[in-house]
C-alpha cells in the first residue's frame, strides 16, 4: 500500500525478519523451523488403498480366469479320483476300503502298468454330457414356465418352491442317463468294450423303457425317489453352507478393514468377491460330499445292480470282479452294507475324495498365483500427482 514502504514489519510488538527461503532449506522464523502445510504429504487412507481405475480391468480378468480354472478342475482334472472313488463305493466284496489317500497310490501305479493311464479317464465324455443335459433341461423348463432357475435370499416362498420343483423334474429326467454314465465310469476296460461318445443316450433310453423287473435290475421308477431326494437335499445343503460361509468371510473382511482404521474399496472389489466365492464354494462342496457320502454309496449300488458290470479289483489293481448284489431297496442296501461291511463300508473310497479336493484346491491356488503374477506385469503404472 502507498505510504507504508518505510515501516518495519511487527509481529506482536516484535520486529520480524523477512521469510528466509531456499530450494534446499526450510522456512525459518525467529530461529525456529516452520513446517509448511503443503510440505506434509497427507494421503487419505481411502485414496491410498484404492487401486487405479485401470486395475479393475485386470482384476476382472483374474476373476474370470479363476472361474474358468475352477470349472476345468471340477470337470476334467479331478475325474480320475471320481473313477477310483466310484469303483470303491460299488464293490461290496472289497477287503481294502481305501479310507485314507495313501492306500490308493500303489493301486493307481498297478492300474497304470496293466491298463495304461487312460483307464482313469473312462466315462469322462458321458459325465460331461449328463451335466450338460442337466443344465439344458433346467434352462428349457425355466424359459417355458415361470419357475426360476436361480433363487436368492430375497426370493419368495412361492419362488423357492417352484425352484425346488424345477430341480426335482430335472434330476428325474436325467436319472436313466446318469445310470448309463455311472456304468461307463466304473466298468473295467480290459473286460468290457469301450463305449462310444453317444452311447450314454442309447443306454439311458433303454434303461428308461425297462419298467419291469428284469432279473436283479431295479426299475428306474424305483430309483427315482432316492435319487431325487439325494440330489435336492444335497443341493439345498450346499446352497445354505455356501451362503453362510460367504457371509462369514465378508464379515471378516469388513472387520479386517475396521482394524486398519478405514474401509477400502478392495472390500467390494471383484477380485476379493471372486476369492470369497471360490473358497465358500469349495468348503460347501466338501462338506456336502462328506455328509452325503454314505447316501451316495447306497444310490450308486442301486443304480448298478443287475447291470452285469465288471469293475477293476482295487484290492490288487491287477484283476477284475463282477458286481453281484441283491438289494430290494435303499433301506435294505444300507442295512446290508452296515451288517456285512461295517459302518466304514459306507465310506469306501473316501481317500479318493480327499485327493480330489486336495488337487482341486492346489490347482485353483496355483492358477490364481499365476494370474496374479501376470496382473503385476499387465497392471498400468500409477501416475504421480
Amino acid at each position: 500500500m502507498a505510504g507504508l514502504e518505510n515501516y518495519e514489519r511487527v509481529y506482536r510488538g516484535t520486529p520480524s525478519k523477512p521469510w528466509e527461503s531456499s530450494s534446499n532449506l526450510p522456512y525459518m522464523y525467529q530461529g525456529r523451523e516452520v513446517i509448511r502445510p503443503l510440505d506434509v504429504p497427507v494421503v487419505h487412507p481411502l485414496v491410498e488403498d484404492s487401486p487405479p481405475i485401470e486395475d479393475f480391468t485386470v482384476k476382472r480378468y483374474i476373476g474370470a480366469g479363476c472361474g474358468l480354472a475352477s470349472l476345468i478342475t471340477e470337470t476334467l482334472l479331478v475325474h480320475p479320483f471320481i473313477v477310483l472313488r466310484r469303483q470303491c463305493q460299488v464293490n461290496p466284496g472289497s477287503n481294502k476300503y481305501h479310507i485314507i489317500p495313501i492306500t490308493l497310490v500303489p493301486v493307481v501305479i498297478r492300474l497304470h502298468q496293466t491298463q495304461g493311464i487312460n483307464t482313469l479317464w473312462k466315462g469322462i465324455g458321458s459325465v460331461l454330457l449328463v451335466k450338460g443335459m442337466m443344465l439344458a433341461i433346467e434352462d428349457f423348463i425355466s424359459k417355458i414356465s415361470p419357475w426360476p432357475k436361480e433363487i436368492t435370499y430375497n426370493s419368495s416362498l412361492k419362488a423357492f418352491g417352484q425352484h425346488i420343483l424345477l430341480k426335482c423334474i430335472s434330476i428325474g429326467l436325467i436319472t436313466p442317463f446318469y445310470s448309463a454314465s455311472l456304468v461307463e465310469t466304473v466298468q473295467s476296460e480290459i473286460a468290457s468294450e469301450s463305449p462310444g461318445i453317444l452311447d450314454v443316450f442309447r443306454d439311458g433310453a433303454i434303461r428308461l423303457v425297462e419298467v419291469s423287473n428284469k432279473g436283479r435290475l431295479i426299475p428306474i421308477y424305483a430309483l427315482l425317489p432316492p435319487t431325487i431326494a439325494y440330489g435336492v437335499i444335497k443341493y439345498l445343503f450346499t446352497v445354505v453352507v455356501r451362503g453362510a460361509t460367504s457371509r462369514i468371510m465378508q464379515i471378516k473382511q469388513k472387520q479386517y478393514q475396521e482394524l486398519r482404521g478405514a474401509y477400502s474399496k478392495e472390500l467390494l472389489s471383484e477380485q476379493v468377491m471372486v476369492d470369497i466365492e471360490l473358497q465358500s464354494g469349495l468348503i460347501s462342496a466338501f462338506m456336502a460330499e462328506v455328509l452325503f457320502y454314505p447316501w451316495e454309496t447306497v444310490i450308486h449300488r442301486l443304480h448298478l445292480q443287475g447291470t452285469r458290470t465288471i469293475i477293476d479289483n482295487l484290492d490288487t489293481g491287477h484283476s477284475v470282479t463282477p458286481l453281484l448284489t441283491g438289494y430290494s431297496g435303499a433301506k435294505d442296501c444300507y442295512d446290508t452294507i452296515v451288517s456285512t461291511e461295517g459302518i466304514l463300508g459306507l465310506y469306501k473310497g473316501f481317500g479318493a475324495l480327499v485327493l480330489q479336493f486336495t488337487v482341486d484346491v492346489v490347482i485353483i491356488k496355483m492358477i490364481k498365483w499365476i494370474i496374479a503374477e501376470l496382473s503385476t506385469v499387465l497392471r498400468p503404472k500409477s501416475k504421480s500427482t
Side-chain angles (χ1 to χ4, degrees):
M1 298 175 61
L4 298 179
E5 293 84 356
N6 297 327
Y7 287 88
E8 291 182 333
R9 297 185 180 183
V10 179
Y11 180 73
R12 293 185 178 181
T14 306
S16 62
K17 296 181 180 181
W19 294 92
E20 299 176 359
S21 61
S22 176
S23 59
N24 298 324
L25 296 175
Y27 284 110
M28 302 296 295
Y29 177 71
Q30 293 185 354
R32 296 183 179 181
E33 179 181 351
V34 178
I35 301 177
R36 294 174 295 175
L38 294 179
D39 291 340
V40 180
V42 179
V43 181
H44 196 276
L46 289 179
V47 178
E48 183 181 5
D49 293 339
S50 299
I53 297 177
E54 293 84 354
D55 286 355
F56 288 101
T57 303
V58 178
K59 291 179 179 180
R60 188 175 294 109
Y61 286 123
I62 293 176
C66 293
L68 180 62
S70 176
L71 179 62
I72 294 175
T73 302
E74 291 176 358
T75 55
L76 298 177
L77 301 181
V78 300
H79 186 75
F81 305 105
I82 296 177
V83 171
L84 294 173
R85 161 183 163 187
R86 291 180 175 180
Q87 285 185 325
C88 293
Q89 283 180 314
V90 301
N91 189 359
S94 60
N95 297 321
K96 296 181 180 180
Y97 290 4
H98 299 296
I99 302 296
I100 58 177
I102 193 64
T103 60
L104 285 168
V105 175
V107 176
V108 172
I109 295 175
R110 297 189 193 104
L111 287 176
H112 174 65
Q113 292 174 348
T114 56
Q115 303 184 34
I117 196 63
N118 294 333
T119 185
L120 298 178
W121 296 90
K122 54 192 174 185
I124 180 65
S126 62
V127 170
L128 295 177
L129 287 175
V130 170
K131 288 185 177 181
M133 289 178 59
M134 181 74 175
L135 297 176
I137 291 173
E138 290 183 357
D139 185 68
F140 177 75
I141 295 178
S142 64
K143 288 182 178 179
I144 65 174
S145 68
W147 300 348
K149 187 169 60 173
E150 296 179 357
I151 55 173
T152 61
Y153 290 102
N154 299 325
S155 300
S156 62
L157 185 61
K158 178 181 179 181
F160 177 78
Q162 291 175 342
H163 177 71
I164 297 303
L165 186 59
L166 172 65
K167 287 290 182 181
C168 292
I169 295 177
S170 302
I171 295 174
L173 290 177
I174 69 165
T175 295
F177 306 98
Y178 179 80
S179 297
S181 174
L182 182 61
V183 172
E184 294 184 8
T185 306
V186 301
Q187 68 181 0
S188 177
E189 290 190 343
I190 61 177
S192 307
E193 296 181 358
S194 298
I197 299 177
L198 301 179
D199 285 354
V200 63
F201 297 108
R202 182 199 62 190
D203 297 338
I206 295 175
R207 188 69 187 271
L208 180 63
V209 298
E210 291 179 348
V211 295
S212 60
N213 287 323
K214 185 179 179 180
R216 298 181 179 180
L217 184 68
I218 300 179
I220 201 66
Y221 66 83
L223 294 174
L224 287 178
T227 304
I228 293 176
Y230 165 76
V232 172
I233 296 176
K234 183 179 178 181
Y235 166 75
L236 292 176
F237 178 84
T238 304
V239 170
V240 172
V241 174
R242 183 172 185 171
T245 307
S246 177
R247 181 60 179 170
I248 292 173
M249 290 182 180
Q250 293 181 26
I251 293 175
K252 287 186 177 181
Q253 181 72 14
K254 182 178 179 180
Q255 293 176 349
Y256 172 74
Q257 296 295 338
E258 289 178 349
L259 293 176
R260 297 181 61 184
Y263 291 117
S264 170
K265 289 184 180 180
E266 191 72 13
L267 176 63
L268 300 177
S269 69
E270 187 170 355
Q271 182 181 8
V272 173
M273 293 305 299
V274 167
D275 291 342
I276 291 176
E277 290 301 321
L278 284 175
Q279 295 178 23
S280 61
L282 286 174
I283 293 173
S284 60
F286 181 74
M287 292 180 62
E289 293 292 347
V290 173
L291 181 63
F292 294 95
Y293 197 90
W295 197 344
E296 184 184 65
T297 301
V298 172
I299 294 295
H300 285 174
R301 293 198 181 187
L302 293 178
H303 276 272
L304 291 180
Q305 179 172 299
T307 57
R308 300 177 181 179
T309 304
I310 299 176
I311 65 173
D312 296 316
N313 186 2
L314 296 188
D315 286 346
T316 62
H318 293 296
S319 59
V320 295
T321 180
L323 293 180
L324 300 175
T325 57
Y327 309 120
S328 60
K331 186 178 183 306
D332 178 62
C333 179
Y334 175 84
D335 294 337
T336 304
I337 293 174
V338 173
S339 61
T340 59
E341 304 171 47
I343 194 66
L344 290 180
L346 298 169
Y347 289 91
K348 285 184 175 181
F350 188 80
L353 177 65
V354 176
L355 286 176
Q356 173 184 338
F357 278 91
T358 302
V359 173
D360 201 344
V361 172
V362 170
I363 292 177
I364 289 179
K365 287 187 175 294
M366 185 183 303
I367 300 244
K368 283 176 57 179
W369 178 81
I370 294 174
I371 297 177
E373 290 296 321
L374 291 177
S375 67
T376 59
V377 179
L378 300 176
R379 182 180 291 117
K381 296 181 180 180
S382 59
K383 298 178 181 180
S384 59
T385 57

